[in-house]
Amino acid sequence: MSGIEAHPYSDAVVAGGLVFVSGSLPLRPDGVVVGGRAEALAEAMETVRRRLATVNARLEDVVKATYYLTDITLRDEANAQFCEVWSEPRPARTVVEVAELPYGSVVEIDIVALAP
């Protein structure tokens, strides 16, 4: 394996009626890491959407989200995104501040969804 897109795990796995989506970085399909705060959040969510689609799941199927942020002050923007993407009742969610993420990303989103 080589390059930014190479990884030793599955993007999404269906098991026990659930879809487990691996941590999704703000990484465009062409391998470019998106910088900036709002832009990175938006692209990380697009990565989630693309990974869900590989198993015919949608954002509407999500029951749990975990946001990993390198700066906890990004939490307000993550909250705004979360409320924009999901309506009530929203999925369960956890926000964790971490020291760093791959490729210098500011956010990574981990998802659990109901299998279609």
Side-chain angles (χ1 to χ4, degrees), residues 3-70:
I4 200 165
E5 295 179 47
H7 50 16
Y9 54 84
S10 299
D11 288 339
V13 174
V14 178
L18 297 172
V19 177
F20 298 88
V21 176
S22 293
S24 299
L25 297 166
L27 184 63
R28 294 191 331 217
D30 63 4
V32 173
V33 176
V34 174
R37 294 166 64 97
E39 299 84 356
L41 277 164
E43 192 60 42
M45 189 59 68
E46 283 304 310
T47 302
V48 166
R49 191 182 322 259
R50 286 190 302 271
R51 289 179 171 186
L52 284 167
T54 66
V55 294
N56 298 313
R58 303 168 303 142
L59 287 172
E60 293 83 358
D61 301 318
V62 172
V63 295
K64 175 72 166 81
T66 303
Y67 281 68
Y68 300 92
L69 309 173
T70 58

Coordinates of all heavy atoms in Angstrom, one line a residue, residues 3-70:
G3 N 0.5 5.8 -0.6 CA -0.4 6.9 -0.9 C -1.3 7.2 0.2 O -1.5 6.4 1.1
I4 N -2.0 8.3 0.1 CA -2.9 8.8 1.2 C -4.2 8.0 1.3 O -4.8 7.9 2.3 CB -3.2 10.3 1.0 CG1 -3.7 10.9 2.3 CG2 -4.2 10.5 -0.1 CD1 -3.7 12.4 2.3
E5 N -4.6 7.3 0.2 CA -5.8 6.5 0.2 C -5.6 5.1 0.8 O -6.6 4.4 1.0 CB -6.4 6.5 -1.1 CG -6.9 7.9 -1.6 CD -7.5 7.9 -3.0 OE1 -8.3 7.0 -3.3 OE2 -7.1 8.7 -3.8
A6 N -4.4 4.7 0.9 CA -4.2 3.3 1.3 C -4.4 3.1 2.8 O -3.9 3.9 3.6 CB -2.7 2.9 1.0
H7 N -5.2 2.1 3.2 CA -5.4 1.8 4.6 C -5.8 0.4 4.7 O -6.4 -0.2 3.8 CB -6.5 2.8 5.2 CG -7.8 2.9 4.4 ND1 -8.2 2.0 3.4 CD2 -8.8 3.8 4.5 CE1 -9.4 2.4 3.0 NE2 -9.8 3.4 3.6
P8 N -5.5 -0.2 5.9 CA -5.6 -1.6 6.1 C -7.0 -2.0 6.7 O -7.1 -3.1 7.3 CB -4.5 -2.0 7.0 CG -4.4 -0.8 7.9 CD -4.7 0.4 6.9
Y9 N -8.0 -1.2 6.5 CA -9.3 -1.5 7.1 C -10.4 -1.2 6.1 O -10.2 -0.6 5.1 CB -9.5 -0.6 8.4 CG -9.3 0.8 8.1 CD1 -10.4 1.6 7.6 CD2 -8.1 1.5 8.3 CE1 -10.2 3.0 7.3 CE2 -7.9 2.8 8.1 CZ -9.0 3.6 7.6 OH -8.8 4.9 7.3
S10 N -11.6 -1.7 6.5 CA -12.8 -1.5 5.6 C -13.4 -0.1 5.9 O -13.4 0.3 7.1 CB -13.9 -2.6 5.9 OG -13.4 -3.9 5.6
D11 N -13.9 0.5 4.9 CA -14.6 1.8 5.1 C -15.9 1.7 5.8 O -16.2 2.5 6.7 CB -14.9 2.5 3.7 CG -13.6 3.0 3.0 OD1 -12.6 3.2 3.7 OD2 -13.7 3.2 1.8
A12 N -16.6 0.6 5.6 CA -17.9 0.3 6.3 C -18.1 -1.2 6.3 O -17.8 -1.9 5.4 CB -19.0 1.0 5.5
V13 N -18.6 -1.6 7.5 CA -18.8 -3.1 7.7 C -20.3 -3.2 8.3 O -20.7 -2.5 9.2 CB -17.8 -3.7 8.7 CG1 -18.2 -5.1 9.1 CG2 -16.4 -3.6 8.2
V14 N -21.0 -4.2 7.7 CA -22.3 -4.5 8.2 C -22.2 -5.7 9.1 O -21.7 -6.7 8.7 CB -23.3 -4.7 7.0 CG1 -24.7 -5.1 7.6 CG2 -23.4 -3.5 6.1
A15 N -22.7 -5.6 10.3 CA -22.7 -6.7 11.2 C -23.9 -6.6 12.2 O -24.1 -5.4 12.8 CB -21.4 -6.8 12.0
G16 N -24.6 -7.6 12.5 CA -25.6 -7.6 13.5 C -26.7 -6.5 13.3 O -27.2 -5.9 14.3
G17 N -27.0 -6.3 12.1 CA -28.0 -5.3 11.8 C -27.6 -3.8 11.8 O -28.4 -2.9 11.7
L18 N -26.2 -3.6 12.0 CA -25.7 -2.3 12.1 C -24.6 -2.1 11.0 O -24.0 -3.0 10.6 CB -25.1 -2.1 13.5 CG -26.0 -2.1 14.7 CD1 -25.2 -2.1 16.0 CD2 -27.0 -1.0 14.6
V19 N -24.4 -0.8 10.7 CA -23.3 -0.4 9.8 C -22.2 0.3 10.7 O -22.6 1.3 11.4 CB -23.7 0.5 8.7 CG1 -22.6 0.9 7.8 CG2 -24.8 -0.2 7.9
F20 N -21.0 -0.1 10.7 CA -19.9 0.5 11.4 C -19.0 1.2 10.3 O -18.5 0.5 9.5 CB -19.1 -0.5 12.2 CG -20.0 -1.2 13.3 CD1 -20.7 -2.3 13.0 CD2 -20.0 -0.6 14.5 CE1 -21.5 -3.0 13.9 CE2 -20.8 -1.3 15.5 CZ -21.5 -2.4 15.2
V21 N -19.0 2.5 10.4 CA -18.2 3.3 9.4 C -16.9 3.7 10.1 O -16.9 4.3 11.2 CB -19.0 4.5 8.9 CG1 -18.1 5.4 8.0 CG2 -20.2 4.1 8.2
S22 N -15.8 3.3 9.5 CA -14.5 3.7 10.0 C -14.4 5.2 10.1 O -15.0 6.0 9.4 CB -13.4 3.2 9.1 OG -13.4 1.8 9.1
G23 N -13.5 5.7 11.0 CA -13.3 7.1 11.1 C -13.0 7.8 9.8 O -12.2 7.3 9.0
S24 N -13.8 8.8 9.6 CA -13.8 9.5 8.3 C -13.1 10.9 8.4 O -13.6 11.7 9.1 CB -15.2 9.6 7.8 OG -15.8 8.3 7.6
L25 N -12.1 11.0 7.7 CA -11.3 12.3 7.6 C -11.9 13.2 6.5 O -12.6 12.8 5.6 CB -9.9 12.0 7.3 CG -9.1 11.2 8.4 CD1 -7.8 10.7 7.8 CD2 -8.9 12.0 9.7
P26 N -11.5 14.5 6.6 CA -11.9 15.4 5.5 C -11.0 15.2 4.3 O -10.1 16.0 3.9 CB -11.7 16.8 6.1 CG -10.6 16.6 7.1 CD -10.8 15.2 7.6
L27 N -11.2 14.0 3.6 CA -10.4 13.6 2.5 C -11.2 13.5 1.3 O -12.1 12.7 1.2 CB -9.8 12.3 2.9 CG -8.8 11.6 1.9 CD1 -7.5 12.5 1.8 CD2 -8.4 10.2 2.5
R28 N -10.9 14.3 0.3 CA -11.7 14.2 -1.0 C -11.4 12.9 -1.7 O -10.3 12.3 -1.5 CB -11.4 15.4 -1.9 CG -11.8 16.7 -1.3 CD -11.7 17.9 -2.3 NE -10.7 17.7 -3.3 CZ -9.9 18.7 -3.8 NH1 -10.1 20.0 -3.3 NH2 -9.0 18.5 -4.7
P29 N -12.2 12.5 -2.6 CA -12.0 11.3 -3.4 C -10.6 11.3 -4.2 O -10.1 10.2 -4.4 CB -13.2 11.2 -4.4 CG -14.3 11.9 -3.7 CD -13.6 13.0 -2.9
D30 N -10.2 12.5 -4.5 CA -8.9 12.6 -5.2 C -7.7 12.5 -4.3 O -6.5 12.6 -4.7 CB -8.8 13.8 -6.1 CG -8.9 15.1 -5.3 OD1 -8.9 15.1 -4.1 OD2 -8.9 16.2 -6.0
G31 N -7.9 12.3 -3.0 CA -6.9 12.2 -2.0 C -6.4 13.5 -1.4 O -5.5 13.4 -0.5
V32 N -7.0 14.6 -1.7 CA -6.6 15.9 -1.1 C -7.3 16.0 0.2 O -8.5 15.8 0.4 CB -7.0 17.0 -2.0 CG1 -6.8 18.4 -1.4 CG2 -6.2 17.0 -3.3
V33 N -6.5 16.4 1.2 CA -7.0 16.6 2.6 C -7.5 18.1 2.6 O -6.8 19.0 2.2 CB -6.0 16.4 3.7 CG1 -6.5 16.8 5.0 CG2 -5.5 15.0 3.6
V34 N -8.8 18.2 3.0 CA -9.4 19.6 3.0 C -9.0 20.2 4.4 O -9.2 19.6 5.4 CB -10.9 19.5 2.9 CG1 -11.6 20.8 3.0 CG2 -11.2 18.9 1.5
G35 N -8.5 21.4 4.3 CA -8.1 22.2 5.5 C -9.3 23.2 5.9 O -10.3 23.2 5.3
G36 N -9.0 24.0 6.8 CA -10.0 24.9 7.4 C -10.9 24.2 8.3 O -11.0 23.0 8.3
R37 N -11.7 25.0 9.1 CA -12.5 24.4 10.1 C -13.8 23.9 9.4 O -14.1 22.7 9.4 CB -12.8 25.4 11.2 CG -11.5 25.6 12.0 CD -11.6 26.8 12.9 NE -12.5 26.7 13.9 CZ -12.3 26.3 15.2 NH1 -11.0 26.1 15.5 NH2 -13.2 26.2 16.1
A38 N -14.6 24.8 8.9 CA -15.9 24.5 8.4 C -15.8 23.6 7.2 O -16.6 22.6 7.0 CB -16.7 25.8 8.0
E39 N -14.8 23.9 6.3 CA -14.6 23.0 5.1 C -14.2 21.6 5.5 O -14.6 20.7 4.9 CB -13.5 23.7 4.3 CG -13.8 25.1 3.8 CD -13.4 26.2 4.8 OE1 -13.0 25.9 5.9 OE2 -13.6 27.3 4.4
A40 N -13.4 21.5 6.5 CA -13.0 20.1 7.0 C -14.1 19.4 7.5 O -14.3 18.2 7.2 CB -11.8 20.2 8.0
L41 N -15.0 20.0 8.3 CA -16.2 19.4 8.9 C -17.1 18.9 7.7 O -17.6 17.8 7.8 CB -16.9 20.3 9.8 CG -16.4 20.4 11.2 CD1 -17.0 21.7 11.9 CD2 -16.8 19.2 12.0
A42 N -17.3 19.8 6.8 CA -18.2 19.4 5.6 C -17.6 18.2 4.8 O -18.3 17.3 4.5 CB -18.4 20.6 4.7
E43 N -16.3 18.2 4.6 CA -15.7 17.1 3.8 C -15.7 15.8 4.6 O -15.9 14.8 4.0 CB -14.3 17.5 3.3 CG -13.8 16.6 2.3 CD -14.7 16.5 1.0 OE1 -15.1 17.5 0.5 OE2 -14.9 15.4 0.5
A44 N -15.4 15.9 5.9 CA -15.5 14.7 6.7 C -16.9 14.1 6.6 O -17.0 12.8 6.5 CB -15.1 15.0 8.1
M45 N -17.9 14.9 6.7 CA -19.3 14.4 6.6 C -19.6 13.8 5.2 O -20.3 12.8 5.1 CB -20.3 15.5 6.9 CG -21.7 15.0 7.1 SD -21.9 13.7 8.4 CE -21.6 14.6 9.9
E46 N -19.0 14.4 4.2 CA -19.1 13.8 2.8 C -18.4 12.5 2.8 O -18.9 11.6 2.1 CB -18.6 14.8 1.8 CG -19.5 15.9 1.5 CD -20.9 15.5 1.0 OE1 -21.0 14.6 0.1 OE2 -21.9 16.0 1.6
T47 N -17.3 12.3 3.4 CA -16.6 11.0 3.5 C -17.5 10.0 4.2 O -17.7 8.9 3.7 CB -15.3 11.1 4.2 OG1 -14.5 12.1 3.5 CG2 -14.6 9.8 4.2
V48 N -18.2 10.4 5.3 CA -19.1 9.5 5.9 C -20.2 9.1 5.0 O -20.6 7.9 4.8 CB -19.7 10.2 7.2 CG1 -21.0 9.5 7.7 CG2 -18.7 10.4 8.3
R49 N -20.8 10.1 4.3 CA -21.9 9.8 3.3 C -21.5 8.8 2.2 O -22.2 7.9 1.9 CB -22.4 11.2 2.7 CG -23.6 11.1 1.9 CD -24.0 12.4 1.3 NE -23.7 13.6 2.1 CZ -24.6 14.2 2.8 NH1 -25.9 13.9 2.8 NH2 -24.3 15.3 3.5
R50 N -20.3 9.0 1.7 CA -19.8 8.1 0.7 C -19.6 6.7 1.2 O -19.9 5.7 0.6 CB -18.4 8.6 0.1 CG -18.6 9.8 -0.8 CD -17.3 10.2 -1.6 NE -16.2 10.4 -0.7 CZ -15.8 11.7 -0.3 NH1 -16.6 12.7 -0.6 NH2 -14.8 11.8 0.5
R51 N -19.0 6.6 2.4 CA -18.8 5.3 3.0 C -20.1 4.6 3.3 O -20.2 3.4 3.1 CB -17.9 5.4 4.2 CG -16.5 5.8 3.9 CD -15.6 5.9 5.1 NE -14.2 6.0 4.6 CZ -13.2 6.1 5.4 NH1 -13.4 6.0 6.7 NH2 -12.0 6.2 5.0
L52 N -21.1 5.3 3.8 CA -22.4 4.7 4.1 C -23.0 4.2 2.8 O -23.6 3.1 2.7 CB -23.4 5.7 4.7 CG -23.2 6.1 6.2 CD1 -23.9 7.3 6.6 CD2 -23.5 4.9 7.1
A53 N -22.9 5.0 1.7 CA -23.4 4.6 0.4 C -22.9 3.3 -0.1 O -23.5 2.5 -0.8 CB -23.2 5.7 -0.6
T54 N -21.6 2.9 0.3 CA -21.0 1.7 -0.2 C -21.8 0.4 0.3 O -21.6 -0.6 -0.3 CB -19.5 1.5 0.2 OG1 -19.4 1.4 1.6 CG2 -18.7 2.7 -0.3
V55 N -22.6 0.6 1.4 CA -23.4 -0.5 1.9 C -24.9 -0.1 1.8 O -25.7 -0.7 2.6 CB -23.0 -0.9 3.3 CG1 -21.6 -1.5 3.3 CG2 -23.1 0.3 4.3
N56 N -25.2 0.8 0.9 CA -26.6 1.2 0.7 C -27.3 1.8 1.9 O -28.5 1.8 2.1 CB -27.5 0.1 0.2 CG -26.9 -0.4 -1.2 OD1 -26.6 0.4 -2.1 ND2 -26.8 -1.7 -1.3
A57 N -26.5 2.4 2.8 CA -27.0 3.1 4.0 C -27.0 4.6 3.7 O -26.3 5.1 2.8 CB -26.3 2.8 5.2
R58 N -27.7 5.4 4.6 CA -27.8 6.9 4.4 C -27.6 7.5 5.7 O -27.6 6.9 6.8 CB -29.1 7.3 3.8 CG -29.5 6.6 2.5 CD -31.0 6.8 2.2 NE -31.8 6.3 3.2 CZ -32.9 6.8 3.6 NH1 -33.4 7.9 3.1 NH2 -33.6 6.3 4.6
L59 N -27.4 8.8 5.7 CA -27.2 9.6 7.0 C -28.4 9.4 7.9 O -28.3 9.4 9.1 CB -26.9 11.1 6.7 CG -25.5 11.4 6.1 CD1 -25.5 12.8 5.7 CD2 -24.5 11.1 7.1
E60 N -29.6 9.3 7.3 CA -30.8 9.1 8.0 C -30.8 7.8 8.9 O -31.6 7.7 9.8 CB -32.0 9.1 7.1 CG -32.3 10.4 6.4 CD -31.5 10.6 5.2 OE1 -30.6 9.8 4.8 OE2 -31.6 11.7 4.5
D61 N -29.9 6.9 8.5 CA -29.8 5.6 9.3 C -28.9 5.7 10.5 O -28.8 4.7 11.2 CB -29.3 4.5 8.3 CG -30.2 4.3 7.1 OD1 -31.5 4.3 7.3 OD2 -29.7 4.1 6.0
V62 N -28.2 6.8 10.6 CA -27.2 6.9 11.7 C -27.8 6.9 13.1 O -28.8 7.7 13.3 CB -26.3 8.2 11.5 CG1 -25.4 8.4 12.7 CG2 -25.5 8.0 10.2
V63 N -27.3 6.2 14.0 CA -27.8 6.1 15.4 C -26.7 6.6 16.4 O -27.0 7.0 17.5 CB -28.2 4.7 15.8 CG1 -29.5 4.3 15.0 CG2 -27.1 3.7 15.7
K64 N -25.4 6.7 16.0 CA -24.4 7.2 16.9 C -23.3 7.8 16.1 O -22.9 7.3 15.0 CB -23.8 6.0 17.7 CG -22.6 6.3 18.5 CD -23.0 7.1 19.8 CE -21.9 7.1 20.8 NZ -20.8 8.1 20.6
A65 N -22.8 9.0 16.5 CA -21.7 9.7 15.9 C -20.7 10.0 16.9 O -21.0 10.4 18.0 CB -22.2 10.9 15.2
T66 N -19.4 9.9 16.6 CA -18.3 10.3 17.4 C -17.5 11.3 16.6 O -17.0 10.9 15.5 CB -17.5 9.2 17.9 OG1 -18.3 8.3 18.6 CG2 -16.4 9.7 18.9
Y67 N -17.3 12.5 17.1 CA -16.4 13.5 16.5 C -15.1 13.5 17.3 O -15.1 13.7 18.5 CB -17.1 14.9 16.6 CG -18.1 15.2 15.6 CD1 -19.4 14.5 15.6 CD2 -18.0 16.2 14.6 CE1 -20.4 14.8 14.8 CE2 -19.0 16.5 13.7 CZ -20.2 15.8 13.8 OH -21.2 16.1 12.9
Y68 N -14.0 13.4 16.6 CA -12.7 13.6 17.1 C -12.1 14.9 16.6 O -12.1 15.1 15.4 CB -11.7 12.4 16.7 CG -12.2 11.1 17.2 CD1 -13.1 10.3 16.4 CD2 -11.9 10.6 18.5 CE1 -13.5 9.1 16.8 CE2 -12.4 9.4 18.9 CZ -13.2 8.6 18.1 OH -13.7 7.4 18.5
L69 N -11.8 15.8 17.5 CA -11.4 17.2 17.1 C -10.0 17.5 17.7 O -9.8 17.1 18.9 CB -12.4 18.2 17.7 CG -13.9 18.0 17.4 CD1 -14.7 19.0 18.1 CD2 -14.1 18.1 15.9
T70 N -9.2 18.1 16.9 CA -7.9 18.5 17.5 C -7.9 19.8 18.3 O -6.9 20.1 18.9 CB -6.8 18.6 16.3 OG1 -7.3 19.6 15.4 CG2 -6.6 17.3 15.7

